[in-house]
Amino acid sequence: MDTSAGDTGADETDAGGTGAGGLCIGEAVRATGMSVDTLRFFEREGLLLRPVPRNAAGRRVYGQADVDWLLLVGRLRASGMPVATVGHFAELVRSGPGNEALRLELLREHERAVRARIAALGADLEIIRRKVAVYERHVSEGTAAGLWAPLPPSPADAP
């Protein structure tokens, strides 16, 4: 399994194990940084690889593979992947071997979308950087008064 930083490898692990007792929802919240509501939402939307088992008291018990998968789902969502697409990806993973090319294409498409958003943000950042430089220069020179001031009233607006 690839254990490189940021890669959970969740689709390569046994999602059925809960380890030594597993994690309650509060521990899963701490492990993922997600809220209880988010975990429950992901479960309702079918974004998990398996139904989350419950203990004798009816409380959810998350395994390490569940946490790893949730971390991946969180990254996919944070990077703009729609819930429906995450759900489709989860469905493909749940289906098991044989559809890796479909998973790869889905991830490549998302990668392209994220790169496009990063490029657009880079262009936005450059405009902001230039505007900051203009303001810094005017503030340091004492010439900032009137920068982006409202336009003076037109003669037609005069009393």
Side-chain angles (χ1 to χ4, degrees):
M1 176 184 351
D2 180 7
T3 57
S4 59
D7 181 8
T8 67
D11 58 343
E12 301 172 14
T13 62
D14 172 19
T18 57
L23 304 172
C24 70
I25 198 164
E27 293 166 325
V29 162
R30 285 187 290 285
T32 62
M34 297 174 185
S35 70
V36 169
D37 289 338
T38 297
L39 294 180
R40 290 178 179 156
F41 172 76
F42 285 175
E43 186 176 356
R44 274 193 318 273
E45 293 298 313
L47 305 186
L48 302 182
L49 295 183
R50 67 178 183 140
V52 178
R54 295 181 182 256
N55 64 17
R59 294 192 175 100
R60 290 169 176 84
V61 179
Y62 295 87
Q64 186 58 49
D66 298 315
V67 169
D68 292 344
W69 179 257
L70 284 164
L71 291 169
L72 174 61
V73 168
R75 289 290 182 180
L76 294 173
R77 288 291 300 130
S79 61
M81 184 180 278
V83 170
T85 305
V86 176
H88 180 60
F89 183 65
E91 182 181 308
L92 290 170
V93 173
R94 281 192 300 269
S95 295
N99 62 25
E100 292 82 3
L102 295 172
R103 296 183 214 175
L104 176 60
E105 185 51 37
L106 186 147
L107 291 170
R108 281 182 174 155
E109 179 58 34
H110 184 61
E111 180 183 26
R112 285 189 287 272
V114 170
R115 287 184 187 281
R117 286 180 45 226
I118 289 170
L121 283 171
D124 295 342
L125 181 59
E126 182 57 26
I127 290 169
I128 293 166
R129 187 200 62 73
R130 283 191 230 141
K131 189 52 65 181
V132 165
V134 166
Y135 272 81
E136 285 176 339
R137 188 182 81 240
H138 282 286
V139 167
S140 71
E141 294 173 358
T143 59
L147 281 176
W148 288 92
L151 297 174
S154 69
D157 294 335

